[in-house]
């Protein structure tokens, strides 16, 4: 690459950029990323987690460039033009990100979700119209995810398209690489795999910025030990040299801890659900862009540049003047005053498949089958039903259990990291000598029940005291369920 | 239990059942949902190109979670049903998903699904520059190079089958 400028930053020291990259960085669309925090609302818990999609995108470009250059120099699987192409894909991979990152993305997924395709045979569950319930729903509405919006930006924003075409890059190809729709599987592995540049950068960056030191992986060693193998059909697989297997075990565990301790943090998750609910409610009332189609229409205008975190904060400030809904009112107050949602109960289960612990199953039964009993207690404590919400998360150390990878042609091996030994490929979780082998059979499940802090005008201590009696009544209900399960299924 | 899990289970039930015991069933699951979404019933999954054809990591996540919670899911699903419009969409494409390779030495069903989904993906979604996607011969040759374990004849039959369904000219059934 022909270095045009150097950019100093806090993770890698300095990052070289080419003229094409420099011009792309200077577009308004890329500068917009300065105003989108990488971790959404995590700064409410980790005060220094205020890094942006801008710095992360530079980091991904830098790492993917180093990975690709190593693979070009040592294994000749890329040429120099391809390395440049991959760097640009890394640089632009988040160009379509939403205000508050995944919070905003979730809102447009909710808005895009077509009419329900399933219906409940017996009506009457008010919970399904509750905006907090809606906001905590996990969706896979990938047609509006940030990569898809990014594709739209790359193909329709003139300032970006012009630079790419001027320097002989096909905007469509860059967009397809970012979206995993390129048929070159080696490209895909550097940008969408268990060991991709995106994950490596956010682990290191989030660790540095939050101060939670789980993600300090050995980047230089990992890149140096990247290797190439081929399967029975001569497909190229990028993986890690067997000698460096422990660095990958460390990487996978670091990612696991970083997710469980930062991304999944109970308070951050609570704030994110509250913000999602408010954003969604504003969209339903037409106070913010209310559809993906509308966003596509503003992509090549200055309105797009303002579609960032500040957009959300400005809109909720306007919303607070017009509001006439008790729940929204309280959510706004709580978000503005950092009054977190209170955790009524949480259960975690690190389990193998279907073998749930009694303690997890008891909470699951109450939430999914006996919700009315929870709501009855809430009513007794004057807590409105729609102030209670739940969240379920699951996290795997390696995405796919080793037992599913016995057949090397299994396509789920895409999700795992390959270990290369003398040109042969092995999924890391399939190696009995690796710590990942037994751990990959298990997932961490987490089930949480929250209640919105609804005591405006009371001090935090007063509010806590009021909830304590509710929570102790809930605990009695939970203990009864647990006892019942233990007797039924010892 | 999120709706996405219930939706997936009910759609798969209508397409013959939810099974993930071995790699053939997991491949079939991915390709069934890919093809089903062509009916216009969009569960929201988007697919990357992979050795065995279109593959969605998100779908794999949801399916594994559903499989691990199958007992609870079976119980909860008793309370739900696919709405009429969704059922009609699935009915529109069910015959394609249940079809067999018309050649005498027919392929195992999961391989046939893989081939149908792959031809469609390479025709309509994937980035290919060195091939005229409109030309059957060119594209089939390209697929042969990407998937050497299929014969050219099998690939051409898959193209012809999709063509009969209008899925060569159009990306989805609804257009």
């Amino acid at each position: 690459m022909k270095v045009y400028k150097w950019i100093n930053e806090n993770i890698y020291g300095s990052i070289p950029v080419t003229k094409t990259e420099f011009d792309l960085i200077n577009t308004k669309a890329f500068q917009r990323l300065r105003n989108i925090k990488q971790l959404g609302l995590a700064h409410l818990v980790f005060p220094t987690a205020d890094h942006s999609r801008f710095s992360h995108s530079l980091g991904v470009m830098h790492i993917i460039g180093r990975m690709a250059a190593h693979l070009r120099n040592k294994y000749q699987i890329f040429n120099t033009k391809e390395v440049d192409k991959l760097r640009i894909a890394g640089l632009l991979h988040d160009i379509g990100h939403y205000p508050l990152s995944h919070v905003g993305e979730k809102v447009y997924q909710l808005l895009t979700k077509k009419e329900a395709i399933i219906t409940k045979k017996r009506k009457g569950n008010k919970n399904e119209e509750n905006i907090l319930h809606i906001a905590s729903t996990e969706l896979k509405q990938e047609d509006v995810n940030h990569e898809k919006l990014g594709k739209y930006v790359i193909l329709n924003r003139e300032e970006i398209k012009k630079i790419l075409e001027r320097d002989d890059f096909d905007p469509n190809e860059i967009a397809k690489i970012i979206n995993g729709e390129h048929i070159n599987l080696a490209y895909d592995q550097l940008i969408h795999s268990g060991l991709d540049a995106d994950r490596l950068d956010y682990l290191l960056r989030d660790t540095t910025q939050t101060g939670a030191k789980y993600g300090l992986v050995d980047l230089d060693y990992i890149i140096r030990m990247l290797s190439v193998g081929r399967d029975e059909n001569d497909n190229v697989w990028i993986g890690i040299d067997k000698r460096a297997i422990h660095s990958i075990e460390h990487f996978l565990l670091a990612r696991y801890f970083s997710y469980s301790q930062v991304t999944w943090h109970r308070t951050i998750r609570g704030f994110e659900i509250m913000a999602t609910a408010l954003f969604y409610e504003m969209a339903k009332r037409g106070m913010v862009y209310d559809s993906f189609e509308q966003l596509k229409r503003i992509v090549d205008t200055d309105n797009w540049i303002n579609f960032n975190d500040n957009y959300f904060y400005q809109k909720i400030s306007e919303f607070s003047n017009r509001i006439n809904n008790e729940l929204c009112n309280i959510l706004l107050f709580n978000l503005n005053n950092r009054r977190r949602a209170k955790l009524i109960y949480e259960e975690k289960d690190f389990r193998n498949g279907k073998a749930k612990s009694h303690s997890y199953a008891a909470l699951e039964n109450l939430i999914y089958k006996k919700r009315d009993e929870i709501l009855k207690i809430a009513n007794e404590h004057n807590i409105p039903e729609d102030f209670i919400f739940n969240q379920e998360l699951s996290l795997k150390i390696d995405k796919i259990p080793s037992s599913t990878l016995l057949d090397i042609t299994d396509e789920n091996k895409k999700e795992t990291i390959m270990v290369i030994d003398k040109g042969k490929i092995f999924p890391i979780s399939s190696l009995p000598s690796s710590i990942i082998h037994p751990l990959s059979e298990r997932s961490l499940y987490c089930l949480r029940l929250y209640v919105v802090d609804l005591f405006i005008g009371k001090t935090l201590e007063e509010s806590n005291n009021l909830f304590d009696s509710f929570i102790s009544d809930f605990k009695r209900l939970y203990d009864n369920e647990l006892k019942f399960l233990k007797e039924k299924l010892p | 239990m999120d709706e996405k899990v219930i939706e997936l289970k009910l759609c798969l039930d209508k397409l013959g059942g939810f099974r993930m015991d071995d790699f053939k069933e997991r491949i079939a699951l991915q390709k069934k949902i890919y093809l089903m979404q062509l009916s216009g019933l969009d569960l929201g999954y988007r697919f990357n190109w992979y050795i065995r054809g279109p593959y969605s990591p998100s779908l794999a996540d949801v399916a594994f979670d559903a499989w691990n919670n199958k007992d609870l899911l079976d119980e909860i699903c008793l309370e739900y049903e696919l709405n009429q419009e969704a059922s009609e969409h699935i009915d529109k494409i069910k015959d394609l998903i249940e079809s067999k390779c018309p050649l005498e030495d027919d392929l195992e069903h999961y391989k046939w699904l893989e081939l149908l989904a792959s031809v469609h993906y390479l025709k309509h979604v994937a980035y290919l520059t060195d091939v005229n996607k409109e030309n059957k011969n060119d594209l089939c040759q390209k697929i042969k190079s990407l998937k050497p374990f299929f014969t050219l004849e099998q690939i051409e039959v898959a193209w012809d089958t999709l063509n009969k369904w209008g899925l060569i000219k159009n990306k989805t059934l609804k257009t």
Side-chain angles (χ1 to χ4, degrees):
Chain A
M1 65 181 280
K2 196 172 170 190
V3 179
Y4 181 72
K5 294 273 182 195
W6 289 88
I7 297 174
N8 291 323
E9 60 92 78
N10 63 340
I11 311 290
Y12 313 108
S14 48
I15 293 178
V17 293
T18 64
K19 173 78 167 73
T20 312
E21 292 158 1
F22 184 75
D23 288 347
L24 287 170
I25 291 165
N26 279 332
T27 58
K28 287 182 182 178
F30 193 84
Q31 293 292 319
R32 166 183 168 270
L33 300 179
R34 287 184 189 277
N35 292 315
I36 297 179
K37 285 195 174 68
Q38 170 78 7
L39 290 178
L41 294 163
H43 62 284
L44 294 173
V45 172
F46 299 100
T48 52
D50 54 4
H51 51 305
S52 66
R53 292 276 156 188
F54 182 92
S55 53
H56 167 64
S57 298
L58 293 178
V60 173
M61 173 191 72
H62 181 59
I63 291 185
I64 205 169
R66 287 187 59 194
M67 292 167 102
H70 166 81
L71 294 165
R72 175 198 58 197
N73 297 343
K74 197 163 178 187
Y75 300 99
Q76 295 79 48
I77 62 164
F78 299 126
N79 59 36
T80 297
K81 181 72 181 176
E82 287 178 298
V83 175
D84 292 345
K85 203 158 55 184
L86 286 164
R87 281 177 59 93
I88 288 172
L91 183 68
L92 298 180
H93 83 287
D94 272 349
I95 195 79
H97 232 308
Y98 288 85
L100 306 186
S101 289
H102 295 290
V103 168
E105 184 175 53
K106 173 80 165 284
V107 171
Y108 287 87
Q109 290 178 328
L110 289 166
L111 292 166
T112 305
K113 186 161 169 40
K114 319 289 184 294
E115 310 79 58
I117 70 159
I118 51 172
T119 43
K120 203 159 190 185
K121 291 176 187 165
R122 278 178 303 167
K123 303 281 180 195
N125 188 349
K126 269 177 67 185
N127 190 41
E128 281 156 21
E129 289 137 38
N130 173 356
I131 55 167
L132 285 166
H133 171 77
I134 292 169
S136 60
T137 306
E138 289 297 317
L139 288 175
K140 297 291 178 192
Q141 206 63 38
E142 295 176 316
D143 45 343
V144 299
N145 66 15
H146 67 275
E147 288 102 339
K148 289 284 177 285
L149 192 49
K151 177 178 175 180
Y152 207 78
V153 175
I154 293 167
L155 297 180
N156 293 281
R157 182 116 190 142
E158 280 302 317
E159 57 175 350
I160 290 183
K161 225 168 77 170
K162 264 187 198 164
I163 296 166
L164 291 174
E165 286 170 351
R166 179 196 73 194
D167 294 344
D168 202 22
F169 293 100
D170 177 359
N172 189 36
E173 183 173 19
I174 300 292
K176 291 277 182 184
I177 295 172
I178 292 169
N179 278 275
E181 294 170 349
H182 202 290
I183 60 157
N184 188 327
L185 295 172
Y187 293 178
D188 196 48
Q189 290 173 67
L190 291 188
I191 205 157
H192 298 286
S193 72
L195 184 65
D196 62 28
D198 191 16
R199 282 165 215 233
L200 282 164
D201 182 78
Y202 72 60
L203 255 185
L204 288 165
R205 194 169 299 279
D206 294 352
T207 291
T208 306
Q209 295 294 140
T210 58
K213 307 226 183 282
Y214 300 101
L216 284 176
V217 295
D218 190 349
L219 178 70
D220 290 342
Y221 186 58
I222 288 174
I223 292 178
R224 207 164 63 237
M225 298 306 277
L226 283 178
S227 183
V228 168
R230 289 184 185 270
D231 66 15
E232 66 285 359
N233 292 316
D234 211 30
N235 292 301
V236 168
W237 285 89
I238 297 168
I240 198 85
D241 186 291
K242 195 179 179 191
R243 289 170 295 166
I245 192 169
H246 295 310
S247 67
I248 294 306
E249 293 170 340
H250 177 212
F251 165 79
L252 288 169
L253 290 170
R255 194 168 67 88
Y256 173 81
F257 290 128
S258 182
Y259 261 90
S260 59
Q261 298 303 303
V262 178
T263 315
W264 273 24
H265 192 285
R266 61 181 73 171
T267 307
I268 297 172
R269 282 297 195 164
F271 277 122
E272 284 178 350
I273 289 173
M274 286 158 54
T276 305
L278 282 170
F279 205 153
Y280 177 71
E281 186 65 23
M282 288 192 293
K284 297 291 272 183
R285 294 169 186 231
M287 294 178 59
V288 294
Y289 302 119
D290 60 5
S291 69
F292 189 68
E293 291 308 310
Q294 211 178 357
L295 295 180
K296 280 160 69 174
R297 284 196 289 275
I298 63 156
V299 151
D300 200 25
T301 71
D302 277 352
N303 289 339
W304 173 252
I305 310 310
N306 298 324
F307 188 60
N308 55 35
D309 288 4
N310 297 336
Y311 176 81
F312 171 76
Y313 292 114
Q314 184 202 329
K315 292 296 177 184
I316 60 167
S317 159
E318 290 169 15
F319 191 30
S320 62
N321 298 326
R322 300 199 216 164
I323 206 158
N324 55 3
N325 171 295
E326 188 195 9
L327 176 58
C328 289
N329 222 340
I330 289 174
L331 291 179
L332 272 171
F333 177 86
N334 289 355
L335 203 57
N336 287 331
N337 292 281
R338 203 199 169 278
R339 295 279 286 250
R340 65 197 165 95
K342 292 175 187 303
L343 190 68
I344 303 170
Y345 210 79
E346 174 188 66
E347 267 300 327
K348 286 186 179 174
D349 208 1
F350 188 59
R351 69 170 181 262
N352 180 348
K354 298 168 191 169
K356 287 174 196 166
S357 67
H358 284 117
S359 53
Y360 193 91
L363 186 59
E364 197 175 64
N365 280 357
L366 288 177
I367 288 176
Y368 295 123
K369 297 185 196 166
K370 300 179 180 177
R371 195 175 186 87
D372 287 348
E373 294 184 34
I374 301 174
L375 299 181
K376 190 174 158 215
I377 297 176
N379 284 333
E380 286 165 9
H381 290 268
N382 297 320
I383 295 172
E385 292 180 7
D386 53 359
F387 283 52
I388 291 178
F389 61 100
N390 55 274
Q391 181 180 53
E392 186 165 19
L393 302 158
S394 67
L395 178 62
K396 300 170 181 75
I397 289 178
D398 191 19
K399 289 200 86 170
I400 302 299
S402 57
S403 54
T404 66
L405 293 166
L406 294 175
D407 190 306
I408 196 67
T409 59
D410 193 324
E411 67 176 352
N412 293 117
K413 74 173 187 276
K414 176 179 167 62
E415 310 285 333
T416 193
I417 297 174
M418 291 297 164
V419 175
I420 316 278
D421 187 14
K422 299 182 185 85
K424 288 189 174 170
I425 57 169
F426 305 91
I428 188 168
S429 54
S430 72
L431 297 176
S433 59
S434 170
I435 191 172
I436 304 303
H437 178 68
L439 292 178
S440 70
E441 287 294 327
R442 290 171 177 263
S443 298
L444 178 66
Y445 291 86
C446 178
L447 186 54
R448 291 169 176 157
L449 188 64
Y450 288 97
V451 56
V452 174
D453 185 341
L454 52 86
F455 294 99
I456 294 177
K458 293 206 164 20
T459 65
L460 210 53
E461 195 183 352
E462 286 166 341
S463 153
N464 284 342
N465 290 338
L466 285 163
F467 277 110
D468 281 347
S469 61
F470 167 58
I471 289 171
S472 62
D473 281 356
F474 174 82
K475 185 73 172 53
R476 266 193 292 280
L477 178 69
Y478 173 81
D479 288 342
N480 285 339
E481 183 65 22
L482 182 58
K483 192 174 161 206
F484 166 74
L485 279 183
K486 281 181 175 168
E487 284 167 4
K488 191 175 140 199
L489 305 163
Chain B
M1 186 76 45
D2 281 319
E3 259 186 27
K4 65 183 189 315
V5 184
I6 301 169
E7 284 174 356
L8 179 65
K9 161 87 166 61
L10 292 180
C11 288
L12 288 167
D13 282 349
K14 193 162 169 64
L15 289 170
F18 174 32
R19 286 183 291 273
M20 286 186 70
D21 272 326
D22 62 32
F23 79 97
K24 295 178 184 179
E25 289 173 349
R26 291 193 290 274
I27 289 176
L29 185 152
Q30 286 271 342
K31 308 322 173 208
K32 280 181 184 178
I33 296 298
Y34 178 84
L35 293 168
M36 186 200 78
Q37 291 196 158
L38 304 181
S39 72
L41 176 61
D42 188 358
L43 297 188
Y45 298 106
R46 290 298 176 268
F47 291 74
N48 301 341
W49 177 249
Y50 188 53
I51 293 171
R52 309 296 306 233
Y55 176 85
S56 162
S58 298
L59 174 58
D61 277 352
V62 175
F64 270 105
D65 268 353
W67 191 245
N68 284 337
N69 286 290
K70 196 165 179 305
D71 295 343
L72 179 65
L73 182 60
D74 286 344
E75 205 176 322
I76 288 175
C77 280
L78 294 175
E79 296 173 25
Y80 288 87
E81 60 192 358
L82 282 175
N83 67 27
Q84 195 185 338
E85 200 185 342
S87 283
E88 285 169 7
H89 275 296
I90 296 178
D91 286 338
K92 273 198 291 184
I93 200 135
K94 201 174 173 191
D95 286 349
L96 176 65
I97 294 171
E98 289 178 350
S99 70
K100 287 183 172 179
C101 175
L103 294 173
E104 276 179 19
D105 53 341
D106 63 343
L107 287 166
E108 281 185 81
H109 189 234
Y110 80 96
K111 285 188 179 168
W112 175 240
L113 290 173
E114 174 186 341
L115 191 50
L116 288 172
S118 300
V119 173
H120 182 274
Y121 190 92
L122 291 166
K123 170 75 177 68
H124 293 287
V125 183
Y127 184 82
L128 291 171
T129 47
D130 51 344
V131 171
N132 175 7
K133 284 187 169 193
E134 303 308 316
N135 184 301
K136 176 182 170 184
N137 190 44
D138 277 13
L139 196 68
C140 289
Q141 292 287 355
K142 180 70 185 177
I143 296 169
K144 175 71 186 149
S145 73
L146 292 167
K147 292 180 160 283
F149 36 89
F150 290 115
T151 66
L152 193 57
E153 194 183 10
Q154 288 167 339
I155 296 167
E156 286 176 346
V157 166
W159 171 289
D160 293 340
T161 304
L162 289 170
N163 198 23
K164 274 187 210 151
W165 280 78
L167 289 168
I168 292 296
K169 189 175 175 202
N170 299 314
K171 190 172 174 183
T172 61
L173 283 185
K174 63 180 174 177
T175 50

